[in-house]
Amino acid sequence: MTSNPKTAPGTALVTGASSGIGATYADRLARRGYNLILVARAADRLDALASRLAGQYGIKSESLRADLSDRVDIRKVEDRLRGDAGITLFVNNAGVGPKGPLLQGDLDDYDRMVELNVLAANRLAIAAAQAFAGRGTGAIINTASVVALAPHFFNGTYSASKAFVLILTESLAAELEGTGVRLQAVLPGLTRTELFDRVGRSIDDLDPNMVMEVGDLVDAALAGFDQGELITIPSLADSSLYDSYHAARSVLTPHLSLSRPAARYGLAG
């Protein structure tokens, strides 16, 4: 399969592209005719993937080796997002999961998690948003997680990092309205990737009815992107459930910042 230069959608830069969700995004986007810039730490895996996708789909595919827990490497990717006008899509996917419950974890591991899941994701999303707004076109897909909506079920630092990504996406979307830049946050549930193996667990130990195949996840996420969704939860059959959640949250807005404490605290007068 080859891309049509007259309809080619541009270049997609994908972080966390060496395996799992990122590698699957790379495959699906190459299939759509995107040229690729693939970012991850594992240069050998990136090179192999870039070569395979270029040969299979007739697109240009480049490896950009970067460790996004390293601020120097974050700046390298940021500079590419800002300086390469051919980039039309940024898939902000790199992240790391926890090894277990919050209180049983190592604080240094949590620092590294925040560096990657929050600091790098934040800086690169904003850099892409600024660059795309300046060009009047572009799209950003941020990988969050369903634990952003249910933090009591999972490791607190990880859940908080994904809630950060969700809220960042919503805020950026509001600020970028009318600029020609699109935003999407994808909220995966349990997904069959190498993430669990890397933290010493097996996805096979979990309820198979709760685990989505990574290809299904990315295909659903891109279908949501095509439909213009801001928030995509691939396993959610009834979108009105999220709409109701969002509406209930919005009801709070007029009550969140007032000049006097609420009467229920007994401080009136």
Side-chain angles (χ1 to χ4, degrees):
M1 177 183 292
T2 60
S3 61
N4 183 340
K6 294 182 179 179
T7 59
T11 298
L13 189 150
V14 183
T15 64
S18 61
S19 64
I21 293 173
T24 305
Y25 262 112
D27 176 86
R28 300 305 195 261
L29 294 172
R31 185 181 299 176
R32 290 180 173 217
Y34 281 91
N35 295 319
L36 298 173
I37 301 170
L38 305 179
V39 179
R41 291 182 300 173
D44 54 343
R45 296 182 71 171
L46 276 184
D47 290 343
L49 179 62
S51 177
R52 179 177 68 80
L53 294 178
Q56 184 173 356
Y57 296 112
I59 51 92
K60 296 178 181 178
S61 188
E62 173 188 346
S63 300
L64 178 59
R65 193 269 172 194
D67 178 354
L68 296 183
S69 63
D70 182 316
R71 298 193 182 195
V72 173
D73 280 6
I74 294 173
R75 293 293 184 95
K76 180 167 65 175
V77 179
E78 175 188 344
D79 290 345
R80 189 61 182 272
L81 284 167
R82 293 187 186 279
D84 188 339
I87 297 173
T88 58
L89 175 63
F90 173 42
V91 181
N92 195 11
N93 171 72
V96 64
K99 297 179 180 179
L102 188 65
L103 297 184
Q104 297 176 16
D106 180 84
L107 288 176
D108 290 335
D109 285 342
Y110 292 144
D111 283 350
R112 286 188 285 271
M113 182 185 293
V114 171
E115 286 278 329
L116 181 57
N117 293 9
V118 176
L119 188 147
N122 179 69
R123 187 173 188 94
L124 294 179
I126 295 172
Q130 291 173 337
F132 291 162
R135 299 169 198 159
T137 188
I140 300 167
I141 299 174
N142 291 324
T143 301
S145 168
V146 294
V147 298
L149 304 176
H152 49 294
F153 287 126
F154 210 60
N155 179 289
T157 299
Y158 180 78
S159 298
S161 74
K162 293 303 182 178
F164 179 93
V165 173
L166 173 60
I167 292 170
L168 175 67
T169 304
E170 292 180 306
S171 179
L172 273 177
E175 191 167 337
L176 288 166
E177 188 172 358
T179 65
V181 182
R182 291 187 51 200
L183 270 290
Q184 182 195 30
V186 178
L187 278 60
L190 296 171
T191 308
R192 191 178 299 279
T193 69
E194 295 179 8
L195 179 67
F196 284 84
D197 295 333
R198 291 174 183 170
V199 297
R201 300 177 62 189
S202 173
I203 196 76
D204 295 326
D205 294 336
L206 302 173
D207 181 353
N209 293 314
M210 297 179 65
V211 180
M212 187 174 290
E213 297 298 327
V214 67
D216 291 339
L217 168 76
V218 173
D219 288 340
L222 286 171
F225 180 78
D226 292 340
Q227 293 168 21
E229 289 186 342
L230 174 60
I231 309 299
T232 296
I233 305 174
S235 62
L236 184 63
D238 184 356
S239 62
S240 69
L241 293 174
Y242 184 82
D243 293 340
S244 296
Y245 162 80
H246 188 269
R249 191 179 66 174
S250 298
V251 170
L252 288 171
T253 302
H255 309 283
L256 296 179
S257 182
L258 297 171
S259 61
R260 297 290 301 162
R264 64 194 180 95
Y265 295 114
L267 302 175

